[in-house]
Amino acid sequence: MVVARFLVVLKPSPVMAPEAMLGALHPVLEALNAEIEHRTPAHLSAMIRGGGESQRMQLFADVQSKADGKALEVVLLSREAMGATAPHTRKVFERLLELLQQHAQAMPLSFRSDQDGPLPHASGVSG
């Protein structure tokens, strides 16, 4: 079964430690009612619970080292079918984007899969 997958990449400016990058996500996770399941200094996974099994979503955040510095990749996954444009998952992704703009202003958005394609370019995406 194809799952819904949305990706956003944030580029901190100025440079931030991985722990600070993940720490900036806490108010976002709280607002989404996400429960952190696993955390390391450069990775976290959380579960966003909805009305049923099909509305349950996973959020993964990973600090990646890129040629032009560190980036925070945030992936939202669900079991909702992408063939129907995954309306519930897309709504949560749009809420995630709003919350990131409010609470993670030190990490501007450099890529979003719903507008820029499935994967970021190796050289980064200009905004």
Side-chain angles (χ1 to χ4, degrees):
M1 178 163 123
V2 178
V3 297
R5 177 187 177 277
F6 292 96
L7 167 69
V8 62
V9 179
L10 306 169
K11 294 287 291 179
S13 177
V15 176
M16 295 172 70
E19 294 88 356
M21 294 168 75
L22 291 177
L25 293 180
H26 280 283
V28 174
L29 295 173
E30 279 185 26
L32 291 172
N33 295 317
E35 181 180 322
I36 294 174
E37 295 185 321
H38 180 73
R39 181 168 178 172
T40 68
H43 166 84
L44 73 76
S45 61
M47 185 66 66
I48 301 170
R49 304 203 189 280
E53 182 69 21
S54 65
Q55 293 184 340
R56 194 174 74 178
M57 296 177 207
Q58 288 182 290
L59 184 142
F60 297 99
D62 288 293
V63 177
Q64 301 288 330
S65 293
K66 305 286 184 186
D68 57 346
K70 296 211 180 303
L72 181 62
E73 294 185 354
V74 181
V75 179
L76 181 66
L77 295 172
S78 79
R79 294 185 177 180
E80 192 174 19
M82 281 299 283
T85 69
H88 182 70
T89 308
R90 180 175 294 277
K91 184 177 178 182
V92 173
F93 182 68
E94 289 169 1
R95 178 73 178 132
L96 171 66
L97 292 170
E98 290 172 12
L99 291 165
L100 288 170
Q101 289 176 353
Q102 290 173 18
H103 298 288
Q105 295 174 350
M107 295 187 292
L109 186 82
S110 69
F111 174 86
R112 52 187 281 182
S113 62
D114 63 326
Q115 293 182 349
D116 301 323
L119 296 171
H121 302 290
S123 61
V125 174
S126 61

